[in-house]
Amino acid sequence: MRTDPVTRRTMLGRSAAAGGALTLGALLPGEAMAAGRSTGTADATANAAAAAKKGGYERIGVRPLINGRGTYTVLSGSLILPEVREAIDAASRQYVQLDELADGVGRRLGELTGAGFGMVSSGCSAALTHASAACTAGGNPDLHIQIPDLRGFTKTEAVIPKHSRNVYEAAISAVGLKVVEVDTREEMKAALGPQTALVYVFAMPRVDESELDLKTIAELAHAEDVPVLVDAAAEVLTIPNVHLERGADLVAYSGGKALRGPQSAGMLLGREDLVRAAWVHSAPHHGYARGFKVGKEEAMGMLAAVEMWVRRDHKAEYAKWTSWLKTIAKRVSAAVPGVTSELVQPEGLSNRTPTLNLYWDAEKRGVVGQTIVDALWEGEPRIAINPASGKNPGQSGLAVTPYMLEPGDEKTIADHIVRRLKNPPPAPAKPKPPSVDASGTWSLEITYAAGSSSEHGLTLKQDGAKLTGTHRGDFVSRAATGSVSADEVTVRSSYGEEHGDSLSYAFTGKLSGDEMSGRVDLGEYLKGSWKATRTS
């Protein structure tokens, strides 16, 4: 994460994040890290790697993978640390009262991070929802049980700068808050008032590129007594916390990414009164949030992950990741003539890992990066990496992120890239001249992966092999583009994150007379089928 619609992952992969060009040493826990770093973590992780590969997935027909992409939730995030596994196991062996546990964990998280107070949630998205409820209802049980019906509430709106609109803001509106978008300082001043529950900021590069940077947002919001919530899901944890230092009141993190805690956990840090209120608006309490349950195992596992964060040797980890990428670059460049490499050392906070880009002339090599990516995904072992856009015309490439690799994975990745480049998979068939005309208005029926169906519409205009038009959905119409090869039709449409949501359709099928049918790929919403009838 967001041509695909922009996602958190693609935005997090772009240059500097909200913190700007800060060095790793300035961001990571300095004295605490040096004083208490664990020398046994790397060895313990390596020793556990073999056992981790035997997770029992194959016996139910699920293929494990080597993760060279990063902390993607759909790829199950990161591998938890051995110390986290131990904490989870220990926590599972005794009973505890969960409100007392939340208090003890919250105080300890505050001590470790210097952030006042903390709370473990069932993922970062849940942390955002609980924080929004805290800013809306303040821990008042009488209000809590009404959420998300905010009729009669004073605070009913969440202000979100245009640069922070994204799919994850659904966690904010889930509380019932109306989103008010602003793009300038004057618009924000006009939007803030007694009805404003909070301002939500998505930590990413576009924040500092706007006149509404975090410091400015905090100044304007605090003048109206409105708290500021930062979504830092995939970022490294900074001590002292860079977002709180810049004026945020609350900041939320994923537990199963950089922290290598439980994949089903997240963390909220910040003002103690608001974090304590967020816990009131969380399970095991009833109401809207009962489903966001956090067990004693996740709570103690998340705490162990933070305790390890301040002990881990982050510089040594970073050096190890860089060395793995150099091994891949050296092996591939030496074995495959014409391949060049680029090692990118990112700045900023988010997903802080180096990235290796491998480039080649696509025409001379006879293969593009996406074809190699697909072949590695389907191969054995299954390997997940990303395609890379070439720097020069005609170039294609691959991108490898080492964050989630285990020792030895770098050699496996290098060997399989070499094999695929030396013996490329068959290239996709070249387009043929159109033999049909898809122009017109079409009644479109989609059957989704879950079996339910929906009536949509397509209006298409064909110019040679090129298609343009409109895809009308259940609620929203979006621009459609595509192409025709012989009697095969491809149509794509997307609804971007600038609206606070993201949804893409890729229709492929055959046209005969006034009927079309085929398969539709909805990305994270899986695949389905479709058929269309021309009405005019």
Side-chain angles (χ1 to χ4, degrees):
M1 247 134 345
R2 131 219 236 282
T3 57
D4 293 332
V6 178
T7 66
R8 180 195 298 275
R9 294 171 289 279
T10 56
M11 283 194 279
L12 294 179
R14 296 176 185 169
S15 64
L22 303 178
T23 64
L24 184 64
L27 295 172
L28 298 174
E31 297 300 325
M33 180 183 71
R37 63 180 50 145
S38 170
T39 58
T41 301
D43 291 339
T45 301
N47 293 337
K53 292 182 185 297
K54 299 178 181 179
Y57 297 113
E58 293 92 341
R59 70 182 177 84
I60 56 172
V62 176
R63 297 177 63 202
L65 56 91
I66 295 173
N67 183 0
R69 286 184 185 166
T71 57
Y72 289 73
T73 297
V74 74
L75 296 184
S76 63
S78 59
L79 297 182
I80 62 176
L81 295 168
E83 295 83 355
V84 174
R85 283 196 291 272
E86 293 171 4
I88 290 173
D89 181 68
S92 71
R93 297 174 184 272
Q94 289 181 295
Y95 297 104
V96 69
Q97 206 279 341
L98 291 185
D99 293 305
E100 295 175 358
L101 178 62
D103 183 70
V105 169
R107 284 185 281 104
R108 178 62 175 152
L109 288 175
E111 294 170 0
L112 290 167
T113 64
F117 203 70
M119 186 191 101
V120 177
S121 60
S122 58
C124 183
S125 182
L128 297 174
T129 299
H130 298 319
S132 299
C135 296
T136 301
N140 181 333
D142 215 36
L143 298 179
H144 167 74
I145 61 174
Q146 301 301 320
I147 293 174
D149 183 355
L150 301 188
R151 286 176 295 180
F153 280 56
T154 301
K155 299 182 183 300
T156 58
E157 295 180 356
V159 172
I160 305 181
K162 186 175 182 178
H163 58 57
S164 287
R165 297 300 303 273
N166 68 88
V167 294
Y168 303 99
E169 72 183 49
I172 312 298
S173 55
V175 175
L177 293 169
K178 174 187 174 182
V179 171
V180 178
E181 180 184 298
V182 297
D183 195 28
T184 66
R185 184 186 182 97
E186 290 307 311
E187 287 178 359
M188 173 159 281
K189 289 176 67 175
L192 294 169
Q195 78 285 356
T196 310
L198 74 149
V199 179
Y200 166 81
V201 180
F202 182 30
M204 50 175 282
R206 287 187 297 182
V207 173
D208 279 351
E209 297 168 5
S210 166
E211 67 176 84
L212 289 176
D213 57 52
L214 182 54
K215 286 185 177 180
T216 300
I217 290 170
E219 290 171 1
L220 295 175
H222 292 164
E224 298 295 330
D225 198 26
V226 173
V228 177
L229 168 63
V230 171
D231 178 354
E235 291 191 12
V236 298
L237 175 62
T238 58
I239 302 175
N241 192 279
V242 65
H243 304 297
L244 298 179
E245 284 194 321
R246 292 176 180 179
D249 300 276
L250 297 165
V251 57
Y253 292 91
S254 287
K257 291 185 170 64
L259 288 166
R260 293 188 63 183
Q263 173 64 15
S264 57
M267 179 171 63
L268 181 67
L269 300 173
R271 271 176 47 185
E272 183 170 353
D273 62 323
L274 289 176
V275 179
R276 286 190 178 277
W279 172 249
V280 171
H281 297 293
S282 169
H285 314 120
H286 292 84
Y288 84 94
R290 176 69 177 183
F292 297 114
K293 186 177 292 185
V294 176
K296 56 188 181 296
E297 297 83 5
E298 287 83 11
M300 294 303 291
M302 191 70 233
L303 176 59
V306 176
E307 289 176 333
M308 285 306 302
W309 180 261
V310 300
R311 296 172 57 196
R312 285 161 57 183
D313 190 338
H314 296 278
K315 290 183 179 180
E317 287 180 342
Y318 203 90
K320 177 176 61 179
W321 299 334
T322 301
S323 73
W324 287 345
L325 295 185
K326 289 181 178 179
T327 295
I328 297 172
K330 183 177 180 181
R331 168 83 171 95
V332 176
S333 298
V336 186
V339 174
T340 60
S341 63
E342 174 191 40
L343 190 59
V344 179
Q345 300 287 0
E347 297 176 338
L349 307 179
S350 302
N351 276 341
R352 277 199 56 85
T353 68
T355 300
L356 173 67
N357 294 324
L358 299 169
Y359 301 116
W360 62 86
D361 186 303
E363 185 173 350
K364 290 181 180 178
R365 183 54 53 187
V367 67
V368 296
Q370 186 63 58
T371 301
I372 300 292
V373 168
D374 294 341
L376 293 175
W377 178 259
E378 296 298 333
E380 184 58 45
R382 171 177 271 185
I383 298 172
I385 59 175
N386 282 319
S389 300
K391 284 191 163 185
N392 302 315
Q395 273 191 334
S396 191
L398 302 170
V400 182
T401 300
Y403 205 152
M404 300 296 99
L405 297 183
E406 292 290 288
D409 287 345
E410 76 280 7
K411 296 178 181 178
T412 301
I413 290 175
D415 289 343
H416 283 268
I417 290 177
V418 168
R419 182 163 69 88
R420 296 295 183 178
L421 283 174
K422 284 187 172 182
N423 298 285
K430 292 184 177 181
K432 300 176 182 178
S435 61
V436 295
D437 188 347
S439 299
T441 300
W442 298 80
S443 175
L444 173 65
E445 181 182 356
I446 302 173
T447 302
Y448 300 105
S452 62
S453 62
S454 185
E455 295 292 334
H456 285 207
L458 285 173
T459 302
L460 300 174
K461 179 180 179 181
Q462 184 170 333
D463 183 4
K466 183 180 178 181
L467 292 174
T468 56
T470 303
H471 169 202
R472 175 184 52 78
D474 290 280
F475 294 99
V476 177
S477 292
R478 70 256 314 165
T481 60
S483 61
V484 180
S485 173
D487 63 347
E488 296 180 352
V489 177
T490 299
V491 178
R492 294 183 175 86
S493 71
S494 64
Y495 189 64
E497 284 194 276
E498 65 271 15
H499 307 289
D501 209 339
S502 181
L503 184 61
S504 63
Y505 289 80
F507 300 94
T508 56
K510 287 183 176 291
L511 187 159
S512 177
D514 289 329
E515 295 186 348
M516 293 190 292
S517 63
R519 300 288 292 170
V520 57
D521 188 341
L522 290 99
E524 66 175 300
Y525 299 107
L526 310 179
K527 298 178 180 179
S529 61
W530 65 282
K531 57 183 179 180
T533 302
R534 183 155 29 199
T535 59
S536 67

